Short mmCIF file of all heavy atoms in Angstrom, two decimals:
data_model
loop_
_atom_site.label_atom_id
_atom_site.label_comp_id
_atom_site.label_asym_id
_atom_site.label_seq_id
_atom_site.Cartn_x
_atom_site.Cartn_y
_atom_site.Cartn_z
N HIS A 117 -114.84 -100.84 36.97
CA HIS A 117 -115.63 -101.26 38.13
C HIS A 117 -114.85 -100.99 39.40
O HIS A 117 -113.61 -101.20 39.51
CB HIS A 117 -116.07 -102.66 38.01
CG HIS A 117 -114.99 -103.68 37.95
ND1 HIS A 117 -114.47 -104.32 39.15
CD2 HIS A 117 -114.22 -104.28 37.05
CE1 HIS A 117 -113.53 -105.16 38.89
NE2 HIS A 117 -113.39 -105.16 37.53
N ASP A 152 -107.17 -104.92 39.63
CA ASP A 152 -108.49 -105.25 39.13
C ASP A 152 -109.58 -104.64 40.09
O ASP A 152 -109.94 -105.25 41.07
CB ASP A 152 -108.70 -106.80 39.09
CG ASP A 152 -110.05 -107.21 38.56
OD1 ASP A 152 -110.73 -106.41 38.00
OD2 ASP A 152 -110.40 -108.42 38.73
N ASP A 153 -110.03 -103.43 39.88
CA ASP A 153 -109.83 -102.58 38.68
C ASP A 153 -109.63 -101.17 39.25
O ASP A 153 -109.96 -100.19 38.57
CB ASP A 153 -111.05 -102.77 37.81
CG ASP A 153 -111.00 -101.95 36.54
OD1 ASP A 153 -109.88 -101.77 35.99
OD2 ASP A 153 -112.06 -101.49 36.10
N GLU A 186 -119.50 -105.59 39.20
CA GLU A 186 -118.97 -106.37 38.16
C GLU A 186 -118.58 -107.75 38.61
O GLU A 186 -118.80 -108.78 37.94
CB GLU A 186 -117.81 -105.65 37.53
CG GLU A 186 -117.33 -106.20 36.21
CD GLU A 186 -116.40 -107.36 36.25
OE1 GLU A 186 -115.82 -107.57 37.32
OE2 GLU A 186 -116.19 -108.00 35.23
N GLU A 187 -117.96 -107.81 39.75
CA GLU A 187 -117.42 -109.17 40.19
C GLU A 187 -118.54 -110.11 40.66
O GLU A 187 -118.29 -111.24 41.02
CB GLU A 187 -116.45 -108.95 41.40
CG GLU A 187 -115.24 -108.16 41.09
CD GLU A 187 -114.19 -108.77 40.16
OE1 GLU A 187 -114.52 -109.84 39.57
OE2 GLU A 187 -113.09 -108.21 39.94
N ASP A 217 -109.56 -102.95 32.03
CA ASP A 217 -109.95 -103.91 33.06
C ASP A 217 -109.48 -105.28 32.74
O ASP A 217 -110.14 -106.27 32.94
CB ASP A 217 -111.50 -103.90 33.31
CG ASP A 217 -111.93 -104.85 34.41
OD1 ASP A 217 -111.09 -105.08 35.34
OD2 ASP A 217 -113.12 -105.36 34.37
N TYR A 219 -105.47 -107.50 31.61
CA TYR A 219 -104.06 -107.51 31.91
C TYR A 219 -103.23 -107.87 30.62
O TYR A 219 -103.75 -108.55 29.74
CB TYR A 219 -103.79 -108.53 33.03
CG TYR A 219 -104.95 -108.68 33.92
CD1 TYR A 219 -105.88 -109.69 33.81
CD2 TYR A 219 -105.24 -107.60 34.84
CE1 TYR A 219 -107.02 -109.68 34.58
CE2 TYR A 219 -106.38 -107.62 35.63
CZ TYR A 219 -107.21 -108.69 35.50
OH TYR A 219 -108.34 -108.74 36.24
N ILE A 443 -116.24 -109.72 31.06
CA ILE A 443 -116.80 -108.44 31.53
C ILE A 443 -118.21 -108.40 30.83
O ILE A 443 -118.33 -107.84 29.69
CB ILE A 443 -115.92 -107.16 31.18
CG1 ILE A 443 -114.52 -107.40 31.61
CG2 ILE A 443 -116.53 -105.91 31.81
CD1 ILE A 443 -113.52 -106.37 31.10
N HIS A 470 -107.75 -111.41 41.57
CA HIS A 470 -108.59 -112.38 42.29
C HIS A 470 -107.74 -113.30 43.17
O HIS A 470 -108.33 -114.15 43.92
CB HIS A 470 -109.41 -113.29 41.27
CG HIS A 470 -110.34 -112.55 40.46
ND1 HIS A 470 -111.49 -113.14 39.98
CD2 HIS A 470 -110.44 -111.29 40.12
CE1 HIS A 470 -112.22 -112.20 39.28
NE2 HIS A 470 -111.58 -111.11 39.34
ZN1 LIG B 4 -112.12 -106.43 36.53
#
Side-chain angles (χ1 to χ4, degrees):
H117 65 90
D152 183 14
D153 180 33
E186 194 275 345
E187 299 290 8
D217 182 28
Y219 329 100
I443 308 173
H470 295 207

